[in-house]
Amino acid sequence: IEPHHGQPVLRGLWELGQAVQQRQVLELDYQRLRGAETVRRTVEPVGILFSEYYFYLNAYITKENDGKYTRKYDYPAIFRIDRIADYKIMEQTFSLPYASRFQEGEFRRRVQFMYGGRLQKSRFRYTGPSIEAVLDRLPTAEILSQDDSGWTISAEVFGKGIEMWMRSQGDYIQEIHEKERDQHGKPGAN
């Protein structure tokens, strides 16, 4: 069944994919999820993903200082491609050192429901019937301890999407503790 947005995305996918491959800066007009507000962003595109019925563009949001663009955050934002109202591929290119390249597999292991944000460590208590369901949903999850009533779990994730998943587990999840981490896994400012 076709998604409700009804937007054609093939042409945009190809052109955005070329911008990713050639590391060309993009200017996007993006319709936010809430409301009809459209915002303009200048971004460095690093990948295209498909998840949960939609295509997404992963890109670093930039800010301008004295005519030069620098990354606003140390992690990529996630833009649903059908919400990109308009885009312009700029002549300007950006560099991305090999060590800092976007790694789709590692990103997918740490993102839930395509909600971006800082890399963080989550700790929680799970008392549900299937620990395998938790370990499968959160590939970075590690069992810290286990007793007769459940498991204490730690998982490294990007953003707040994990909160949506945790709420969907109802009373099976308790004692949620989060600590933000920088891109290298070191504790950051809260």
Side-chain angles (χ1 to χ4, degrees):
I1 297 175
E2 183 177 326
H4 286 100
H5 63 68
Q7 300 293 320
V9 294
L10 283 181
R11 185 183 127 256
L13 276 176
W14 176 259
E15 292 174 352
L16 294 172
Q18 292 298 310
V20 168
Q21 186 176 27
Q22 296 170 16
R23 295 189 179 129
Q24 290 179 281
V25 173
L26 294 172
E27 190 173 87
L28 306 176
D29 290 332
Y30 187 74
Q31 183 178 355
R32 291 188 174 193
L33 188 58
R34 292 186 182 96
E37 181 185 4
T38 301
V39 295
R40 178 159 288 166
R41 298 278 188 251
T42 303
V43 300
E44 297 176 347
V46 293
I48 293 178
L49 303 169
F50 180 82
S51 180
E52 297 148 6
Y53 311 109
Y54 303 108
F55 287 96
Y56 297 89
L57 174 69
N58 285 54
Y60 290 96
I61 297 174
T62 63
K63 59 183 176 182
E64 184 180 3
N65 279 331
D66 297 325
K68 294 184 181 183
Y69 288 95
T70 58
R71 290 184 181 161
K72 192 171 181 178
Y73 308 105
D74 60 355
Y75 53 87
I78 302 170
F79 299 93
R80 221 172 80 182
I81 288 180
D82 62 283
R83 291 188 167 275
I84 298 174
D86 196 16
Y87 62 90
K88 179 180 177 185
I89 299 173
M90 311 295 281
E91 293 293 324
Q92 179 183 355
T93 60
F94 62 95
S95 63
L96 190 63
Y98 184 78
S100 300
R101 74 193 182 284
F102 178 72
Q103 296 179 33
E104 178 182 340
E106 289 302 310
F107 182 80
R108 283 185 179 272
R109 286 172 32 103
R110 290 175 172 85
V111 72
Q112 302 300 311
F113 300 108
M114 284 298 165
Y115 281 85
R118 292 195 177 282
L119 187 60
Q120 62 188 7
K121 196 86 152 183
S122 286
R123 289 174 45 113
F124 56 92
R125 181 99 176 125
Y126 178 73
T127 58
S130 173
I131 189 62
E132 290 83 13
V134 173
L135 299 176
D136 290 341
R137 182 62 179 163
L138 304 171
T140 62
E142 297 176 15
I143 298 172
L144 300 176
S145 65
Q146 177 183 358
D147 59 32
D148 291 340
S149 64
W151 298 265
T152 301
I153 306 292
S154 175
E156 193 175 62
V157 296
F158 280 107
K160 303 291 184 188
I162 192 169
E163 291 175 6
M164 181 186 298
W165 175 80
M166 287 180 172
R167 284 192 300 271
S168 76
Q169 300 305 301
D171 292 336
Y172 292 149
I173 299 283
Q174 296 128 6
E175 301 176 17
I176 300 170
H177 302 286
E178 295 179 357
K179 292 184 180 175
E180 286 191 4
R181 302 235 175 235
D182 68 13
Q183 66 182 355
H184 306 291
K186 296 176 184 166
N190 287 335

